[in-house]
Amino acid sequence: MDLQLKGRRALVTGSSSGIGEAVARMLADEGAAVVVHGRNRERAEKVAADINAAGVAIGELSTDALAASVHAEACAALGGNIEILINNAGGSSTGNTARPPIEISTDDYISNYHANALAAVRLCQLCVPDMTAAKFGRIINVSSAVAVQPNNLGADYSGAKSALNNFTVSLAGSLKGLGITANTLSPGIIMVDGLLRFGRQKFGDPDMSFEEVSERFAAEKVFDMPPVGRLGIPRDLAVVACMLASPLSGFITGANYRVDGGQVRSLN
Ligand SMILES: NC(=O)c1ccc[n+]([C@@H]2O[C@H](COP(=O)([O-])OP(=O)(O)OC[C@H]3O[C@@H](n4cnc5c(N)ncnc54)[C@H](OP(=O)(O)O)[C@@H]3O)[C@@H](O)[C@H]2O)c1
């Protein structure tokens, strides 16, 4: 199937590793012009060279000015406006999702809100005017299964992701008839490098593949496996991101796509 992504201009934030890297790679494979983003230039340039990207855009997204600089660098590399915006950068800004709600400082709630909600808000504010002029845009905000099914721990992170879902539905509704769609993509537990390293160390084999580590996690019940019986891999997300980024997906907006192997027990 031709997703009609050839030549489309895309920015994938946080694409120097993990889910973002897989999304950038698949978009590039589909012929899109992709800008790889991260805070570390060396890592981003390595991925960009590997996937034959249009270029890189480097920097934090934690203030309006920093996000504007990333946006400008991306547009320069693409030689035009961003048509496909994948707001993927994020994760727990404190690296600690193991605290009960009342033990998390208000500063940590704010910091996670910046990293997981406002980073995406800022880039939407920067991209939507051009998308409106062009009458075409695809916005995909990477959220999390915990946005709709929070754990008892890590409410600073999960609450920020819930806000991102809320923002996305509002945004989609506000862009009536403009040819712009906005959706969230919500991963379950996905085997990114950090988890892979943990697994290889735990099982004492530095050469284990993603799939092998995931299978051992399942066999030894390290994680509660979702109904599909394995953890996700970044490519699982990339498939859905490319589908939502396609011009063929113009009737899908304000939706939340769960890519979690069935982890979230919900009718939608
Ligand atoms: N993996 C999972 O199980 C899982 C589950 C649910 C949701 N998610 C969500 O999926 C997204 C990607 O996660 P991942 O697991 O693929 O993460 P990852 O492998 O750690 O990659 C994170 C990417 O984002 C960049 N980044 C991180 N914080 C940033 C910041 N403050 N400003 C700018 N760039 C930043 C990193 O690049 P640099 O380090 O170079 O800056 C890297 O490219 C996140 O939004 C996360 O919340 C992941």
Side-chain angles (χ1 to χ4, degrees):
M1 178 179 182
D2 177 10
L3 289 174
Q4 300 178 10
L5 288 166
K6 263 185 207 65
R8 291 287 182 184
R9 296 182 293 274
L11 167 64
V12 185
T13 69
S15 46
S16 57
S17 69
I19 293 169
E21 178 182 348
V23 172
R25 185 178 298 279
M26 199 172 281
L27 282 171
D29 283 350
E30 291 295 314
V34 178
V35 167
V36 174
H37 163 262
R39 292 165 298 186
N40 180 295
R41 182 171 291 277
E42 203 183 327
R43 265 202 301 272
E45 282 179 347
K46 190 165 175 293
V47 171
D50 196 37
I51 69 171
N52 200 21
V56 298
I58 306 301
E60 292 272 358
L61 302 166
S62 49
T63 68
D64 291 2
L66 289 170
S69 154
V70 167
H71 175 257
E73 193 178 355
C75 291
L78 292 168
N81 74 296
I82 293 161
E83 299 176 289
I84 299 167
L85 171 63
I86 318 273
N87 283 309
N88 165 77
S92 168
S93 63
T94 62
N96 184 355
T97 51
R99 293 171 297 176
I102 58 165
E103 289 177 18
I104 300 168
S105 70
T106 50
D107 281 349
D108 287 352
Y109 279 100
I110 291 168
S111 139
N112 264 292
Y113 195 69
H114 274 283
N116 290 289
L118 292 182
V121 170
R122 292 183 181 106
L123 283 169
C124 289
Q125 289 172 337
L126 291 158
C127 291
V128 164
D130 284 335
M131 290 177 172
T132 301
K135 290 209 172 309
F136 178 81
R138 294 284 180 267
I139 296 168
I140 298 156
N141 292 329
V142 178
S143 183
S144 170
V146 296
V148 297
Q149 189 168 277
N151 299 319
N152 297 339
L153 309 174
D156 48 347
Y157 169 72
S158 60
K161 290 295 195 188
S162 302
L164 180 63
N165 289 26
N166 194 305
F167 164 76
T168 308
V169 172
S170 281
L171 179 67
S174 73
L175 299 172
K176 207 166 259 178
L178 297 175
I180 308 170
T181 63
N183 296 287
T184 47
L185 190 55
S186 293
I189 302 173
I190 308 300
M191 287 286 295
V192 294
D193 285 352
L195 209 49
L196 181 64
R197 273 197 302 275
F198 166 73
R200 284 172 171 169
Q201 204 173 10
K202 183 173 177 59
F203 305 125
D205 181 352
D207 298 321
M208 286 176 92
S209 67
F210 274 103
E211 288 80 359
E212 285 165 343
V213 171
S214 176
E215 276 164 25
R216 283 290 292 278
F217 277 151
E220 301 193 15
K221 299 192 182 347
V222 177
F223 292 103
D224 256 354
M225 285 295 145
V228 297
R230 68 167 174 87
L231 299 180
I233 56 172
R235 198 181 55 228
D236 292 326
L237 278 298
V239 171
V240 184
C242 284
M243 185 271 285
L244 290 172
S246 166
L248 300 175
S249 295
F251 201 58
I252 305 172
T253 197
N256 177 31
Y257 272 73
R258 292 189 280 112
V259 182
D260 61 9
Q263 177 187 329
V264 172
R265 304 282 296 174
S266 160
L267 295 182
N268 180 15

